[in-house]
Amino acid sequence: MDPAEQPPPATPDAPDRQTMEAIRRRRMEKLGGSSTSSASASASASPKPDGTGPETARPAPSSTSSSTEKINEGKKPAPVPARPKINASPAPQGTGIISASRKRPVTQVDSPSATPPRKQNPQKEEPIDDYADRILGTIFRVTVDPSREADSTSHRLTYLPNLAQELADEDAPLKLSVDRLEEAIMEAATAWPADKPLFDYLLPCWKRAIRAIRLLRGPAPQKEEILKEAKRLCFSNCIFAVTMPELFSREPNAQHDTLVPYLLREVEHESGLCMDFFGEAISRLNEDDSIAPLFTKAMADISAKLSTLSMNDDYKPYVNALLTYSRFPPLLSALAEHPCFQMAQSAPGIEKNTILGPFFRISPLQPEVCTVYFSGPRTMDKNRIQTSQSALQMTLAAHQTDLRTIVNAFVRASPLAKNKVLDWFAYIMNANHKRRAIQVDPREVSSDGFMMNVTVILDCLCEPFMDSTFSKVGRIDVNYFRRNPRIDIKEETKLNADQSQSDAFYATRLEGESNFITEVFFLTLAAHHYGSEAANAKMKNLDKDIKYYEKNLAMMEAERPKLANRPDQLRLLEETVRRHTAVLEKATSMKYAIEGVLLEQKMQSRSLQFMRYVTVWLLRVASQSEYTPDKPLRLPLPRAQPESFSCLPEYALQDIVDNFKFVFRYIPQIILSAVGDEMVALCLTFLESSEYVRNPYLKSSLVSLLFHGTWPTYHLKKGVLGDIMTSTKFANDYLLHAVMKFYIECESTGTSTQFYDKFNIRYEIFQVIKCVWSNSVYPKQLTEASKTDRSFFVRFVNLLMNDATYVLDEGLGKFPKIHELQTKLRDHALSQQDREKLEEELRTAEGQATSFMQLANETVRMMRTFTNSLGDAFTMPEIVQRLAGMLDYNLEILTGPKSKTLKVDNAEKYFFNPKTLLPEIADIYLNLGSSAAFIEAVAGDGRSYKPETMAQAGYILRTKHLKNIDELDKWDALCKKFEITKAELDRAELDFDDAPPEFEDELMGILMKDPVILPSKHVLDRSTIVQHLLSDPKDPYTRQPMTIDDVVPDDALRERIEKWKEERRAKARATVADAMDTA
């Protein structure tokens, strides 16, 4: 049969290994019968530096080289005629290969008479065997024709003497063909230098085969079959080259037998794996079980190499390798099954020894990277810091985009890959609980950069279901932690359940599996807790550390002059200063880097959107309703709390608050479009139904969140939440009662710092009330509360007065001490030690005065606001006497003889302005001046009320122009009423000064008006026990819990007191009448 008409031989899908071994043996016999002789032959036939292919010795036209003689052992091929310099064989149409015979000589190109013919004669069709010889030679850069040194494109060809000899022995043409291609590849590969990876020869062959297939034009089935077989055999040998190097008489070499360097190059790179190679690998996965392990091992090696790099190094090729890899789901599924994908590791080990860990580890928060972005941080100005942070953010955003693409590819690759990735994320969370410890040991937890990347990528996974209408929030399964959850919350503090209650609840497992949305939701929630919020906490700790180091450095520098004559101690000091400076600069660089990461706006916008979803979901679970911001929510919540809510980890609520507080403080511009009514609903719900949350600090943080929402932001004078709290129906219905309720509750939180914590909480509550007070709904609600819920209102006002009394007393009481210290420090004769001691005392006193005066100013303003709107409510018997006493005492401090001790340097620094405070206290007097009960309470204040004090206050108000004429006239008239009432009370006191002991209150020593019997059988006046219970709901004698409802009126004693008082009045009237008659 004519070779041109012979069809290509049928070949199996992949070379049989036994066949390949037989071929190898035959090649070895031809090359000398041993691997040693083969190696020497290969060495003697090394290719030229151009790397076009393996070069084997070939016979010359006139003589045969000595190396060829040695290999063939005397079997020299017959002499051949001299080889023409240009291959004149015509190239067939459509091959895309330009034959040298079609090129015009230079003389014809340059000659003016050289005119190209108008019409070329059609070329003769190239025989198929010639085509096969030419194209296979071009692809593999080999030849069996000793006269042929280069292909049609002038690339050097490697002569294959053994195959040529076999063909000669068989009297076959010296041409390459498909049926002898395996032998050709084997001989060429065996001849490839042992010090070079064999893959370096076979991969270019593969690419040339692919290129040749693409260049085919028109129907050419025989040519196509030749090229496909060349491609198939080439790929198979590529795989064999790195999996079975001994097949080619090569010793295993870890540096050569791997795909790593080729994966690290771009797919367009000449020596990189192209997309066709990946595609061929995918198509053979099922039939060749060596391909998947080959690729997964390469990616594992790439991951291991990346674990030694940082963002300062050339990490991008490694990420690009995984990005390319992630385009092929079957390969990702195989990679997910690799033992290193999620092997048991410590928390720090996860980011170095798992497949994905090193990719997520790359971050500007790596210590060595921080010092590059923020070199010399103590000398950097604000603009340089911001520039560095912007550069950091752009680099990190690009890397996180790549990570997002990779993780999305895993999730979509297959159910197995998706579950493996979710398992890996869960393993990270469960291994990093210690990141939220008070003292964090970095050797026991994953790094901040790694955890931040994990948090951001999980936020991105949530994006598809976080729509603005919350349409998919119902798919988040509240029973997740009872269905074999990936997240371990056993040791986490619960919202409102102790350990035993939580364990009992979760011990009952439910059937079924959680959906993907639920899984990602709870993973992301945990990631925020252990990732971004932990990084935020670290930034705060770094602030403290930096101040500490700076203070120590300042102290050491102050000691330097003292050691000028002691060189040994001076050297020790300088070494200590160097160490402190290094630690300080490292801490400062890290702080700036964390700031840069946390202040990235797109990242925080995604985070806020996720927190909104968590907010709505929590409200749905707690209210057991289908709540969304467009649906009503009724308060208070049901008395019976759902255990599914109570047993949730506390961080479910804490993360929301901390995230929003951070954004309110540092990047409020992004919150304008990221917050809705649900945030106010969350705060008010758990302030009104505060029994749903156990942690008092967590409840107080809800007030802080509302307070931060009132800060003026851009065009919003009332802040981001101010308008919502002022005008929405839900806020109008529940806000005032909710914050007043917590104002009362924070009096006793059960913590060691509760006494001081309450002042900060109440300060923030005052700011919230001030923000919304412009809406008349709120004053009306307060008036209604004083009538319908008297005990609640009385407790609120009583605590308000307690605060005012304490903070004014503490604040004003610091100024005499400050005045004294400032006077002493003016003495230039003070020693340095005494001066430092006095300065420290002054700083302490100033700090306390500043804090207390801020609280005092707000408390007085709130009382003025309330008394202006509902004065009658503040003159209840349970309130009015304490209110009058508090006002009289502070008025005397401000205007009496003690006022001289309040004069200090720069009083405004301490928020102390008597010209503002005195008129505000006067306003409270005037607001209540129409009440006879108030006038009597002021006049009856035997401790602080003095007519001259009232007159002095009026004088200051008038001379300093602190009040207008009408208000001053009202003040004078009110002072006159106080004086008249005082005289009347003095006369009555003379009448009742000899009351029997059983008529007097046991605690206060006053004549009882409404005696009541306590559970302990003691008798007190009702006003006394009411005031006591407002501060301490226990029997003052037995310390047993009690309420005002537990007392029993002593009507008999009351009637005896009234009868005695009437007798004393009658006697007094008779005495006055007798005196008048005598007169």
Side-chain angles (χ1 to χ4, degrees), residues 38-103:
S38 173
S40 62
S42 300
S44 65
S46 59
K48 289 187 176 182
D50 64 359
T52 57
E55 180 179 353
T56 305
R58 69 178 68 220
S62 62
S63 64
T64 306
S65 69
S66 61
S67 61
T68 306
E69 292 174 358
K70 182 177 181 180
I71 292 174
N72 292 327
E73 297 180 344
K75 296 180 181 179
K76 291 190 291 184
V80 295
R83 194 169 50 250
K85 294 184 178 180
I86 298 176
N87 186 355
S89 59
Q93 292 293 330
T95 61
I97 301 175
I98 303 174
S99 172
S101 62
R102 294 178 59 187
K103 296 181 180 179

Side-chain angles (χ1 to χ4, degrees), residues 734-766:
Y734 300 113
L735 184 144
L736 189 61
H737 188 271
V739 296
M740 288 173 62
K741 181 174 182 287
F742 194 67
Y743 187 102
I744 296 170
E745 284 185 16
C746 69
E747 178 71 16
S748 178
T749 60
T751 63
S752 59
T753 57
Q754 66 180 18
F755 182 78
Y756 297 100
D757 292 339
K758 66 181 181 183
F759 294 115
N760 292 326
I761 296 169
R762 288 169 178 171
Y763 172 85
E764 293 177 347
I765 289 176
F766 290 153

Side-chain angles (χ1 to χ4, degrees), residues 417-710:
K418 176 180 70 176
N419 286 323
K420 287 287 187 178
V421 168
L422 295 180
D423 288 341
W424 183 73
F425 281 129
Y427 191 71
I428 294 169
M429 306 309 154
N430 296 332
N432 278 285
H433 285 200
K434 291 183 179 180
R435 278 181 59 83
R436 297 315 306 266
I438 297 175
Q439 296 292 333
V440 180
D441 185 348
R443 296 169 297 181
E444 297 180 352
V445 297
S446 298
S447 65
D448 293 296
F450 175 79
M451 293 301 294
M452 281 301 305
N453 284 337
V454 168
T455 305
V456 169
I457 299 310
L458 284 170
D459 270 339
C460 292
L461 286 181
C462 292
E463 272 191 309
F465 65 81
M466 291 194 303
D467 60 321
S468 59
T469 61
F470 302 92
S471 63
K472 296 182 181 178
V473 70
R475 297 186 61 187
I476 302 171
D477 186 3
V478 69
N479 292 311
Y480 169 76
F481 290 110
R482 302 175 75 186
R483 299 185 193 277
N484 297 318
R486 286 182 163 90
I487 301 295
D488 178 15
I489 61 167
K490 181 177 176 61
E491 302 302 323
E492 289 292 340
T493 305
K494 307 305 186 293
L495 275 171
N496 197 25
D498 56 28
Q499 190 67 47
S500 60
Q501 181 184 352
S502 172
D503 290 345
F505 176 70
Y506 289 124
T508 305
R509 293 292 181 178
L510 300 179
E511 297 296 328
E513 298 292 332
S514 298
N515 58 57
F516 179 73
I517 288 178
T518 300
E519 293 278 9
V520 175
F521 177 82
F522 284 102
L523 281 170
T524 309
L525 190 58
H528 276 276
H529 184 59
Y530 303 119
S532 58
E533 297 309 323
N536 189 10
K538 181 174 181 178
M539 187 173 67
K540 294 176 183 177
N541 290 333
L542 284 172
D543 268 331
K544 297 177 184 177
D545 293 344
I546 290 169
K547 291 177 182 177
Y548 172 79
Y549 292 131
E550 287 176 339
K551 180 180 178 181
N552 281 358
L553 280 173
M555 293 173 60
M556 285 187 278
E557 291 297 340
E559 292 294 316
R560 188 184 294 275
K562 301 176 184 179
L563 304 178
N565 299 322
R566 287 178 279 183
D568 291 341
Q569 295 187 19
L570 184 59
R571 281 195 298 271
L572 182 61
L573 175 67
E574 289 175 347
E575 178 61 27
T576 305
V577 168
R578 278 195 294 271
R579 287 201 309 269
H580 271 68
T581 301
V583 174
L584 174 59
E585 294 209 340
K586 183 178 178 181
T588 307
S589 296
M590 179 59 73
K591 176 200 165 187
Y592 290 154
I594 294 177
E595 276 184 356
V597 172
L598 291 178
L599 294 178
E600 207 282 312
Q601 295 188 16
K602 289 184 178 178
M603 181 270 290
Q604 287 291 358
S605 294
R606 279 194 302 267
S607 178
L608 287 180
Q609 181 64 14
F610 175 74
M611 290 305 165
R612 289 186 67 194
Y613 244 74
V614 181
T615 298
V616 172
W617 181 79
L618 274 180
L619 290 173
R620 291 165 71 96
V621 176
S623 63
Q624 304 174 60
S625 69
E626 299 297 317
Y627 168 77
T628 53
D630 60 336
K631 296 178 182 177
L633 180 65
R634 295 187 62 81
L635 299 182
L637 296 175
R639 184 177 297 275
Q641 300 180 25
E643 282 191 291
S644 55
F645 176 84
S646 301
C647 295
L648 284 173
E650 191 176 85
Y651 64 70
L653 181 57
Q654 186 71 61
D655 287 356
I656 299 172
V657 176
D658 290 344
N659 193 267
F660 272 90
K661 284 169 65 176
F662 178 85
V663 174
F664 274 131
R665 180 172 183 179
Y666 294 106
I667 40 178
Q669 62 270 25
I670 73 168
I671 208 170
L672 299 178
S673 58
V675 70
D677 297 356
E678 71 281 346
M679 194 52 54
V680 172
L682 177 80
C683 297
L684 298 188
T685 297
F686 295 117
L687 289 175
E688 179 64 38
S689 297
S690 56
E691 65 277 9
Y692 271 60
V693 180
R694 174 174 294 187
N695 187 343
Y697 289 114
L698 184 52
K699 288 187 279 191
S700 66
S701 64
L702 297 172
V703 176
S704 298
L705 189 55
L706 292 176
F707 166 57
H708 290 163
T710 65

Side-chain angles (χ1 to χ4, degrees), residues 96 98 183 188 234 238 245 610 716 759 851 867:
I98 303 174
E183 298 173 68
C234 185
C238 283
F610 175 74
L716 302 175
F759 294 115
S851 177
T867 55

